[in-house]
Amino acid sequence: MAVLVVVTVLAWLAAPQVHRLRPVVDQLRQGDLPAIGLPQLPAPPPATRAPSGLTFTDAAGCRPAGDYASPRLDRRVRTLLVAAAARHRIRVSCLRTGHAHYVKGTRRVSNHTVWRAVDVDQVNGHPVSPSNTDARQLAHWIGRGGAGVQPSEVGSPWAFGGRPWFTDPGHQGHLHVGFAGPTRAGAR
């Protein structure tokens, strides 16, 4: 009886594939009990695997590696990181987990909190600082939409002038890239 229940449930779940269940039903009618195995879990989609030029650190109190694998991460952040890692070796210090809820000194919700921002603390193996020319080049490229996505905010040690770029004392040691609200309903 249990086998019949399992087959019924499987048939219901696989209704569009009902022609594939015909041999199983025929075996049951003849009294033969087919072996029932568990399906293999699919590999995670390639988009959630970090490319070779992208690493993570927990040193800033955040846990970006787990956040990178989350389906909640805004697709624009992931697109940016993949494109940037193809040009430079970058280290992410923060995505969402561990970041403050509000932008420092304000009551404005941080884009990190809603999965739409990233902080990068190293470029090509060197800390982001006013003297890191690779980081400067990357910040400029990101702000111009070089990754194929246009951020609404790029914080860095450099004053490139005008939005999306900004600089302040809190962004002298990392690149912050954030995106405005979702581009379409349901987008992350």
Side-chain angles (χ1 to χ4, degrees):
M1 184 65 171
V3 172
L4 185 56
V5 170
V6 169
V7 170
T8 303
V9 169
L10 289 174
W12 179 77
L13 290 172
Q17 308 292 329
V18 74
H19 66 279
R20 292 184 182 174
L21 291 175
R22 178 72 60 206
V24 174
V25 172
D26 290 343
Q27 283 180 317
L28 286 173
R29 285 185 184 150
Q30 297 169 4
D32 296 333
L33 297 177
I36 297 176
L38 296 174
Q40 289 185 352
L41 294 175
T48 61
R49 291 190 190 123
S52 62
L54 180 61
T55 59
F56 305 95
T57 181
D58 294 348
C62 297
R63 293 184 296 283
D67 288 347
Y68 183 81
S70 174
R72 297 185 71 192
L73 183 63
D74 189 296
R75 66 176 169 72
R76 297 167 294 179
V77 172
R78 193 179 319 280
T79 298
L80 168 79
L81 290 173
V82 169
R87 297 174 60 90
H88 299 278
R89 287 177 294 116
I90 60 173
R91 186 172 83 172
V92 172
S93 58
C94 203
L95 285 166
R96 179 183 182 273
T97 304
H99 196 278
H101 185 76
Y102 296 108
V103 173
K104 188 174 183 177
T106 74
R107 297 299 287 169
R108 189 171 44 114
V109 174
S110 168
N111 276 323
H112 287 280
T113 300
V114 292
W115 299 89
R116 294 192 311 248
V118 59
D119 289 344
V120 173
D121 73 339
Q122 283 189 8
V123 177
N124 291 338
H126 300 285
V128 171
S129 71
S131 63
N132 185 334
T133 57
D134 290 335
R136 185 182 196 284
Q137 179 187 52
L138 180 61
H140 192 257
W141 178 78
I142 288 170
R144 294 189 64 181
V149 290
Q150 183 60 57
S152 57
E153 50 196 43
V154 180
S156 74
W158 307 281
F160 293 114
R163 283 289 186 190
W165 297 285
F166 70 92
T167 187
D168 62 24
H171 291 87
Q172 298 302 298
H174 70 278
L175 303 179
H176 163 85
V177 183
F179 293 90
T183 56
R184 64 183 187 284
R188 296 205 187 272

